[in-house]
Amino acid sequence: MPAVSKGDGMRGLAVFISDIRNCKSKEAEIKRINKELANIRSKFKGDKALDGYSKKKYVCKLLFIFLLGHDIDFGHMEAVNLLSSNKYTEKQIGYLFISVLVNSNSELIRLINNAIKNDLSSRNPTFMCLALHCIANVGSREMAEAFASEIPRILVAGDTMDSVKQSAALCLLRLYKTSPDLVLMGEWTSRVVHLLNDQHMGVVTAAISLITCLSQKNPDEFKTCVSLAVSRLSRIVSSASTDLQDYTYYFVPAPWLSCKLLRLLQCYPPPEDGAVKGRLVECLETILNKAQEPPKSKKVQHSNAKNAILFEAISLIIHYDSEPNLLVRACNQLGQFLQHRETNLRYLALESMCTLASSEFSHEAVKTHIETVINALKTERDVSVRQRAADLLYAMCDRSNAKQIVAEMLSYLETADYSIREEMVLKVAILAEKYAVDYSWYVDTILNLIRIAGDYVSEEVWYRVIQIVINRDDVQGYAAKTVFEALQAPACHENMVKVGGYILGEFGNLIAGDPRSSPLVQFNLLHSKFHLCSVPTRALLLSAYIKFINLFPETKATIQEVLRCDSQIRNSDVELQQRAVEYLKLSSIASTDVLATVLEEMPPFPERESSILAKLKKKKGPGAVSVPELDDKREAGLSFNQRIGGSIPASPCRCSTPSPSADLLGIRSAAPIGATPTSTGSLLVDVFSEAGPAAPSAAVNDDGFLRFVCKNNGVLFENQLLQIGIKSEYRQNLGRMYLFYGNKTSVQFASFTTTVSCPGELQSHILSLNVQTKPVEPLVEGGAQIQQVLNIECLTDFSEAPLLNIKFRYGGALQNLSLKLPVTINKFFQPTEMTSHDFFQRWKQLSQPQQEAQKIFKANHGMDTEVLKAKLLGLGTALLDDVDPNPENYVCAGVIQTKGQQVGCLLRLEPNGQAQMYRLTLRCSKDSVSMRLCELLAQQF
Amino acid sequence: MIKAILIFNNHGKPRLSKFYEHYSEDTEQQIIRETFHLVSKRDENVCNFLEGGMLIGGSDYRLIYRHYATLYFVFCVDSSESELGILDLIQVFVETLDKCFENVCELDLIFHVDKVHNILAEMVMGGMVLETNMNEIITQVDSQNKMEKSEQSP
């Protein structure tokens, strides 16, 4: 008999579901759902008490509606009521509703906790399991507080049923993950570890997840689990396929548990105890041997289960990285899988081999499979497998095979899937640089890269080739010749024009001797591309032209003619116009000596980590990129610091502080006519920010934020694409902020969205700030500015500022930016005037130690009186004259207005001109306010 | 850890969604759509693993799926799980459903959402595997059904 007979469902529910399924359109479906929601709502609100069956029916309907993607905003209370029913069916449906629909922030948690508490103490195993499931599914902090001490007891008690133990183990794991501080294992540790010996395999299965997690966090306390795990594993591996009865899966004994045991062992180094280690090595050998035995079944499940264990065993062997014999056997096994007809196995084999490639014992063995891997890259039908093949080629690359691998990757790029092209480009660029013995090969490779996949060559890649060419004089002539040839192509990628313009501008003289590439030919070649290029490239070309005037005086007249024409000198783009005007003037008034100094060849770049590597790391996560370091000792050439964790230059994403290499020519300081604002000109900056979707913290503007503590208007943020201005006004506990988003480019921003989130709103329902926004237009045209208004209400005092998150698409790339909005507690100050007597009386009243916050700090800015006064007024308080007996000191008073309360604040700032120090003291009627104000202000003076 | 378990049909209609991490309702629906989009465009006979979509956490997470007749079973897991192990787990889940519903089909999942949730709960709890033994799972489900019957009869 089937466990669920088909006739016993609820009729009303079945009818409703059928109705929905018969709806011809989305509208009809929504209509039917709304009707049902109204019906259920009225039933819930009605006077007539519902019986358990009806409640269950309605809750089931709500679940179904939720699954279809509709919000359910009621019914929670009814579900909670069902929990306290004595009937299993009702209780169970109540718990189901809660685990699907209630999140950990719900205000109902307290009521739910009560029901759980009753069920846990009921000694009815079914009820206990339901309750434990609920805790594990919701897993909120409040639940952890209520049950973290109770559950370990249930887990290790002698009289607990096995099924309850299983649930208790995973429940505890969930609580440990959400609130590790509340789960204290201490006295339970050894009894939990011994669950690995439990008779019931289900208990071991559940417990091992818990033990693995605890071992990762507290390896020392749990290290006794190693020998227990080894003996359990050994018992399973050596058992006949029938010994474990129900836990034998398609003739494989307990595959899931074996995998988990092997994973647990990967949390530890190889066992020190010789006997344990011997036993483990025996297990691993048995597993490897079994792979060679004929299969006991033709079913895919059999081979899956067997190979699942095998792959985990190989991972453990790689993790130990100490048994050359096992490593080589593992590598051979994976080599067999590389040609297996099961795609899944090929995928996993490529992936495991990636890690094997970094072991010194097996690196060579992995390399023998290069042809198979190259073949996989060319012929696999599945892009995810090709991706793994590319990863493996990257991992197995060393100097002996770099040329072959780079060539294969380049040729694959021509047909590669769009989704992996950018990553492939980065990898080729890194390998080419890392293993370049001869730099002409490097230059050829990168130029090929631009030719084949120009659209996917990010700025980092072409910045890097320029850095290398500039720093290595033996390759400069070759580079100039090669770019010159590459530019001959009738259609060449804009990135090629950039590299060409830069390199010819610096080193065009090295090939000028050949009449086929005389100065004028070079110039005409570059200029023939000029009109097809975007503004930043044209700006770069203009700089190349002025460099030409210096390199080749004979081109001066021609170039001046070009600069003088209306399309340059009156260009609508400010940057281009300015460059044209300045370069024209510079070329006509400066003497040759001055010109030669100003336009001198670029100095070598400081050595730093390749920004390409940084970009790849950001794309893939740090673990995934480590280039094998085995063969790292470079014989010749510059060694660019490539080790992970090497110095990463601060990312200069704000144009107001250009790095020395930001200006293409370095004429900023030397130019006789005003400095060139480089709004589009910071071409050589290592920009890792901006383009990453997953690095919001990188762009959080801490100092931008601090500049606004004492003022309300100004520019909050600026980079090459976007400027954000701010105007704000505050009255009592209300504020209004205008945000102005300016598109600095000539290209439209698409899907422009902004969201404001208040800290705390994710953790709790206690909001300190209420910020209302209207959505902005999704399109921001080039050069346009849009405005957004925020209405702010201060509910209670706060310390974290709200976060503004901006997302938009700029030329296909998703831009993501997070900024702290400068809403600080002092914005809600009302100034209070008072006499000296009143001031000191109140000062004395606020004398409890926690009401005072004090900081002594060095002056960051000049100690000018007027500036200080302006800042203190900007703070929002009243600046009180003739109050402090020492006229050097400043005292202020104000009241912070929040919705719920008013907080009186007194401030005293004592400058010490000689030491260039300040002492700042704050006394407020609420201690959290003193603290926060003190932190904010200490960074202002 | 298993982050989410999704079942949808060949047209992308969700038949079961269970998230073991909290997302807003809206995001959950978007994840289901995104996952369907990623999985459904793949040929038969390609491998059963792929990197997760952006919404679920990108390449740190893996989608492991099986396609049975009209239904896709997708598990989204982190790197601590064995891919082949999860593939077997999906098989255990499906075989269990098959035993409980006797030749399970899409309609069973539609009309018995609550049962499917219960069966899954006997296997996976809070994103971790509770039990892999099919007979044990079925015993639990059976005893629940008996209780249900006994409550209905009087």
Side-chain angles (χ1 to χ4, degrees):
Chain A
M1 195 195 85
V4 179
S5 52
K6 301 200 178 189
D8 69 351
M10 288 163 283
R11 231 185 76 77
L13 175 66
V15 169
F16 169 63
I17 293 176
S18 302
D19 279 3
I20 294 286
R21 286 168 49 78
N22 291 332
C23 285
K24 293 277 184 299
S25 63
K26 194 81 193 161
E27 288 73 30
E29 185 185 307
I30 292 174
K31 213 170 145 196
R32 180 68 185 86
I33 285 172
N34 285 337
K35 189 177 146 203
E36 192 63 37
L37 286 174
N39 172 39
I40 300 173
R41 208 185 292 260
S42 74
K43 285 281 173 13
F44 280 164
K45 285 216 177 113
D47 308 326
K48 223 171 67 192
L50 293 173
D51 58 13
Y53 172 78
S54 319
K55 276 194 213 156
K56 179 178 168 184
K57 182 175 72 187
Y58 295 130
V59 170
C60 271
K61 284 184 182 176
L62 289 180
L63 278 175
F64 184 77
I65 295 171
F66 178 75
L67 182 66
L68 292 175
H70 299 268
D71 261 2
I72 303 292
D73 54 3
F74 69 99
H76 299 71
M77 207 51 217
E78 283 71 17
V80 172
N81 288 337
L82 283 173
L83 295 185
S84 42
S85 164
N86 280 325
K87 285 193 174 173
Y88 165 74
T89 12
E90 291 170 16
K91 193 185 275 293
Q92 180 264 336
I93 202 80
Y95 272 123
L96 176 59
F97 182 94
I98 284 162
S99 64
V100 174
L101 272 162
V102 174
N103 64 55
S104 49
N105 299 327
S106 169
E107 294 147 13
L108 293 170
I109 294 282
R110 211 155 299 160
L111 292 171
I112 298 172
N113 275 359
N114 265 335
I116 291 178
K117 195 163 285 171
N118 289 334
D119 283 335
L120 281 184
S121 51
S122 71
R123 307 193 65 79
N124 173 335
T126 314
F127 289 1
M128 288 173 87
C129 281
L130 282 175
L132 290 167
H133 268 276
C134 182
I135 302 175
N137 278 318
V138 178
S140 72
R141 180 133 189 114
E142 273 171 297
M143 283 192 172
E145 280 164 1
F147 303 112
S149 55
E150 175 67 18
I151 290 166
R153 203 165 305 148
I154 298 177
L155 176 60
V156 298
D159 59 347
T160 306
M161 298 261 298
D162 288 332
S163 61
V164 178
K165 268 194 196 170
Q166 282 173 273
S167 302
L170 293 187
C171 182
L172 187 59
L173 170 56
R174 176 60 196 257
L175 293 185
Y176 182 74
K177 278 185 180 165
T178 44
S179 318
D181 53 315
L182 293 177
V183 178
L184 302 170
M185 290 311 297
E187 45 183 322
W188 310 114
T189 304
S190 129
R191 297 174 75 179
V192 168
V193 169
H194 276 88
L195 288 173
L196 286 176
N197 265 339
D198 199 284
Q199 299 228 315
H200 192 277
M201 295 279 268
V203 173
V204 190
T205 303
I208 193 153
S209 293
L210 172 66
I211 295 168
T212 306
C213 178
L214 291 169
S215 302
Q216 280 162 348
K217 300 279 159 55
N218 324 285
D220 282 344
E221 288 159 53
F222 282 84
K223 66 171 177 252
T224 47
C225 72
V226 172
S227 62
L228 287 175
V230 169
S231 64
R232 187 94 213 193
L233 179 69
S234 150
R235 290 208 297 277
I236 296 174
V237 169
S238 58
S239 66
S241 56
T242 49
D243 286 358
L244 299 171
Q245 293 168 355
D246 287 348
Y247 285 88
T248 298
Y249 175 87
Y250 290 89
F251 305 103
V252 183
W256 179 270
L257 184 55
S258 308
C259 288
K260 287 285 169 185
L261 286 165
L262 289 161
R263 278 277 160 131
L264 171 60
L265 291 171
Q266 287 173 52
C267 303
Y268 288 93
E272 284 159 19
D273 180 333
V276 177
K277 187 166 181 193
R279 207 163 171 198
L280 178 56
V281 169
E282 211 171 285
C283 282
L284 295 172
E285 277 170 347
T286 314
I287 294 171
L288 285 168
N289 291 340
K290 277 190 180 171
Q292 301 303 327
E293 288 171 11
K296 293 198 176 70
S297 154
K298 289 218 165 63
K299 286 251 167 67
V300 65
Q301 280 79 14
H302 172 69
S303 76
N304 263 356
K306 206 164 113 178
N307 293 327
I309 303 176
L310 182 56
F311 274 107
E312 285 308 324
I314 292 175
S315 299
L316 183 64
I317 293 170
I318 298 172
H319 167 76
Y320 286 164
D321 198 14
S322 61
E323 301 280 330
N325 175 30
L326 287 177
L327 278 165
V328 170
R329 281 191 70 184
C331 185
N332 292 340
Q333 182 61 53
L334 293 178
Q336 281 183 21
F337 283 148
L338 285 183
Q339 313 210 39
H340 201 280
R341 60 189 167 78
E342 276 277 322
T343 318
N344 287 340
L345 295 182
R346 296 199 299 274
Y347 177 97
L348 294 173
L350 288 166
E351 189 179 58
S352 296
M353 251 193 194
C354 259
T355 41
L356 208 49
S358 54
S359 160
E360 58 174 314
F361 298 116
S362 50
H363 184 77
E364 288 303 316
V366 170
K367 273 167 62 184
T368 58
H369 298 287
I370 185 166
E371 297 301 335
T372 319
V373 181
I374 287 172
N375 199 35
L377 187 64
K378 285 177 176 161
T379 58
E380 280 290 349
R381 284 168 55 215
D382 185 348
V383 55
S384 26
V385 183
R386 290 197 293 272
Q387 167 104 52
R388 295 292 149 249
D391 287 348
L392 177 54
L393 280 182
Y394 178 75
M396 67 161 67
C397 191
D398 61 20
R399 216 177 24 244
S400 72
N401 57 17
K403 284 201 174 163
Q404 184 189 8
I405 286 179
V406 167
E408 289 294 349
M409 285 174 119
L410 269 177
S411 78
Y412 172 61
L413 251 182
E414 303 200 36
T415 54
D417 312 78
Y418 295 109
S419 55
I420 63 174
R421 279 195 187 184
E422 187 181 357
E423 196 186 312
M424 289 287 290
V425 166
L426 293 175
K427 287 185 163 161
V428 169
I430 290 169
L431 292 179
E433 178 186 331
K434 187 173 168 65
Y435 296 114
V437 179
D438 120 39
Y439 276 83
S440 55
W441 173 72
Y442 169 76
V443 170
D444 283 342
T445 304
I446 300 294
L447 293 184
N448 266 330
L449 204 55
I450 295 176
R451 201 163 24 225
I452 293 168
D455 281 343
Y456 297 88
V457 172
S458 53
E459 294 184 325
E460 287 84 353
V461 173
W462 76 261
Y463 292 167
R464 192 67 182 160
V465 71
I466 284 175
Q467 286 173 10
I468 289 182
V469 169
I470 299 244
N471 287 15
R472 297 198 53 89
D473 42 21
D474 54 342
V475 78
Q476 288 160 355
Y478 181 78
K481 180 165 158 283
T482 324
V483 288
F484 179 77
E485 280 161 10
L487 286 172
Q488 305 284 340
C492 58
H493 196 272
E494 186 161 339
N495 280 333
M496 187 71 88
V497 179
K498 288 178 185 164
V499 177
Y502 200 105
I503 289 187
L504 291 182
E506 294 292 330
F507 309 115
N509 54 330
L510 300 176
I511 56 168
D514 187 327
R516 284 168 299 178
S517 51
S518 70
L520 218 51
V521 175
Q522 287 183 38
F523 171 74
N524 286 333
L525 182 60
L526 280 181
H527 199 53
S528 70
K529 315 282 181 194
F530 187 90
H531 302 280
L532 299 170
C533 291
S534 64
V535 169
T537 310
R538 278 192 263 166
L540 183 149
L541 285 178
L542 288 179
S543 300
Y545 297 169
I546 185 77
K547 286 235 157 185
F548 266 40
I549 292 183
N550 175 46
L551 288 180
F552 316 118
E554 66 267 38
T555 60
K556 183 171 174 178
T558 319
I559 291 174
Q560 281 181 333
E561 196 54 43
V562 167
L563 292 175
R564 203 175 288 128
C565 79
D566 278 357
S567 62
Q568 310 298 354
I569 211 156
R570 300 204 175 151
N571 194 295
S572 60
D573 186 275
V574 183
E575 178 66 27
L576 290 182
Q577 190 186 103
Q578 184 157 7
R579 284 197 188 209
V581 170
E582 289 179 4
Y583 293 161
L584 182 60
K585 205 70 184 161
L586 179 66
S587 67
S588 44
I589 60 173
S591 69
T592 11
D593 287 352
V594 172
L595 258 189
T597 319
V598 170
L599 300 172
E600 202 180 357
E601 190 179 299
M602 284 295 282
F605 285 87
E607 291 188 18
R608 55 176 116 172
E609 180 184 18
S610 160
S611 50
I612 307 176
L613 202 58
K615 175 154 180 161
L616 185 63
K617 258 186 267 173
K618 211 175 70 185
K619 236 177 127 60
K620 300 284 283 182
V625 219
S626 62
V627 186
E629 296 285 328
L630 307 170
D631 196 25
D632 199 19
K633 288 176 200 77
R634 192 87 55 87
E635 284 150 18
L638 289 164
S639 136
F640 287 90
N641 180 6
Q642 278 194 317
R643 255 161 299 116
I644 291 180
S647 63
I648 300 172
S651 70
C653 57
R654 253 164 268 111
C655 280
S656 50
T657 53
S659 83
S661 53
D663 190 278
L664 184 64
L665 297 174
I667 59 169
R668 173 171 302 280
S669 49
I673 6 153
T676 324
T678 45
S679 56
T680 52
S682 45
L683 293 167
L684 267 176
V685 189
D686 261 334
V687 185
F688 323 133
S689 54
E690 274 127 46
S697 55
V700 168
N701 59 331
D702 244 3
D703 35 324
F705 165 79
L706 286 170
R707 282 188 286 116
F708 283 85
V709 170
C710 296
K711 65 176 186 173
N712 287 335
N713 306 326
V715 174
L716 176 66
F717 174 83
E718 184 160 10
N719 66 11
Q720 281 123 310
L721 305 177
L722 181 70
Q723 186 192 55
I724 303 172
I726 253 182
K727 261 188 182 172
S728 47
E729 56 200 31
Y730 294 87
R731 236 186 51 222
Q732 301 197 320
N733 72 323
L734 300 177
R736 178 168 294 171
M737 179 177 281
Y738 299 86
L739 289 167
F740 301 90
Y741 305 99
N743 179 345
K744 289 171 59 178
T745 69
S746 52
V747 185
Q748 189 184 58
F749 293 163
S751 327
F752 191 90
T753 52
T754 66
T755 42
V756 177
S757 55
C758 295
E761 94 189 332
L762 295 174
Q763 288 84 19
S764 70
H765 276 270
I766 313 155
L767 264 181
S768 45
L769 274 179
N770 184 7
V771 181
Q772 309 273 342
T773 53
K774 283 213 181 96
V776 288
E777 290 292 316
L779 289 181
V780 186
E781 297 297 336
Q785 189 185 61
I786 56 168
Q787 183 187 338
Q788 185 177 31
V789 187
L790 309 184
N791 286 315
I792 303 163
E793 184 184 13
C794 177
L795 303 174
T796 167
D797 70 285
F798 59 97
S799 48
E800 289 297 311
L803 279 182
L804 171 68
N805 183 269
I806 301 159
K807 286 200 181 89
F808 60 91
R809 292 197 162 273
Y810 167 68
L814 185 66
Q815 309 283 326
N816 190 343
L817 204 67
S818 279
L819 301 172
K820 273 194 202 172
L821 278 180
V823 182
T824 44
I825 184 70
N826 64 292
K827 300 294 179 193
F828 304 96
F829 256 128
Q830 295 284 108
T832 321
E833 295 290 345
M834 55 179 83
T835 63
S836 176
H837 174 259
D838 288 346
F839 184 89
F840 282 103
Q841 194 173 11
R842 290 199 195 178
W843 186 262
K844 277 182 202 128
Q845 281 164 0
L846 297 170
S847 60
Q848 289 172 34
Q850 65 270 26
Q851 287 176 329
E852 182 182 282
Q854 191 174 69
K855 256 197 177 136
I856 298 173
F857 51 92
K858 259 206 138 33
N860 288 319
H861 309 283
M863 297 178 85
D864 183 76
T865 322
E866 290 311 310
V867 177
L868 279 178
K869 278 187 177 166
K871 277 193 178 163
L872 288 168
L873 284 171
L875 187 64
T877 49
L879 181 59
L880 307 176
D881 291 328
D882 305 324
V883 169
D884 201 284
N886 180 347
E888 296 277 287
N889 294 348
Y890 303 89
V891 290
C892 304
V895 176
I896 288 177
Q897 308 270 350
T898 72
K899 194 181 181 203
Q901 66 181 144
Q902 301 190 335
V903 183
C905 304
L906 302 176
L907 176 156
R908 194 176 191 197
L909 182 69
E910 299 161 87
N912 178 341
Q914 242 175 349
Q916 291 284 303
M917 302 278 279
Y918 291 103
R919 178 161 72 186
L920 172 70
T921 316
L922 275 143
R923 286 192 178 185
C924 307
S925 55
K926 199 166 176 191
D927 28 334
S928 54
V929 175
S930 310
M931 298 277 294
R932 180 59 188 156
L933 281 175
C934 192
E935 275 168 29
L936 282 174
L937 287 173
Q939 299 172 65
Q940 295 300 318
F941 302 107
Chain B
M1 174 184 172
I2 301 168
K3 211 169 176 188
I5 294 174
L6 308 174
I7 305 177
F8 39 73
N9 70 7
N10 291 346
H11 306 289
K13 278 260 179 223
R15 293 309 178 206
L16 174 96
S17 71
K18 178 76 196 147
F19 288 83
Y20 295 100
E21 237 165 62
H22 178 66
Y23 295 98
S24 68
E25 286 89 20
D26 228 25
T27 319
E28 288 187 0
Q29 291 298 322
Q30 282 175 20
I31 290 175
I32 295 173
R33 273 198 297 277
E34 185 188 48
T35 310
F36 170 69
H37 183 73
L38 285 170
V39 170
S40 63
K41 69 177 181 198
R42 293 169 64 80
D43 296 338
E44 295 294 326
N45 299 326
V46 296
C47 80
N48 297 81
F49 327 125
L50 65 155
E51 288 184 354
M54 282 318 290
L55 290 169
I56 196 106
S59 54
D60 293 344
Y61 291 89
R62 211 152 270 188
L63 302 176
I64 296 167
Y65 74 99
R66 268 183 189 272
H67 190 191
Y68 296 88
T70 62
L71 292 175
Y72 285 96
F73 285 68
V74 187
F75 281 41
C76 173
V77 304
D78 67 11
S79 59
S80 71
E81 302 290 348
S82 148
E83 286 90 347
L84 291 173
I86 294 286
L87 216 48
D88 286 340
L89 195 66
I90 298 179
Q91 179 71 16
V92 171
F93 184 34
V94 174
E95 284 184 28
T96 310
L97 288 175
D98 201 52
K99 284 233 167 95
C100 292
F101 288 107
E102 206 172 13
N103 290 327
V104 66
C105 69
E106 191 178 341
L107 284 177
D108 294 318
L109 270 57
I110 298 172
F111 285 102
H112 300 282
V113 185
D114 53 329
K115 301 273 180 211
V116 180
H117 269 286
N118 286 347
I119 294 168
L120 182 60
E122 293 301 328
M123 233 174 86
V124 179
M125 176 170 155
M128 305 305 286
V129 173
L130 185 66
E131 182 60 79
T132 57
N133 176 352
M134 194 159 49
N135 291 336
E136 189 85 14
I137 299 169
I138 290 172
T139 312
Q140 294 292 340
V141 175
D142 273 341
S143 78
Q144 289 166 12
N145 286 327
K146 274 195 201 109
M147 266 190 281
E148 203 167 311
K149 282 265 159 55
S150 72
E151 282 173 6
Q152 274 167 5
S153 49

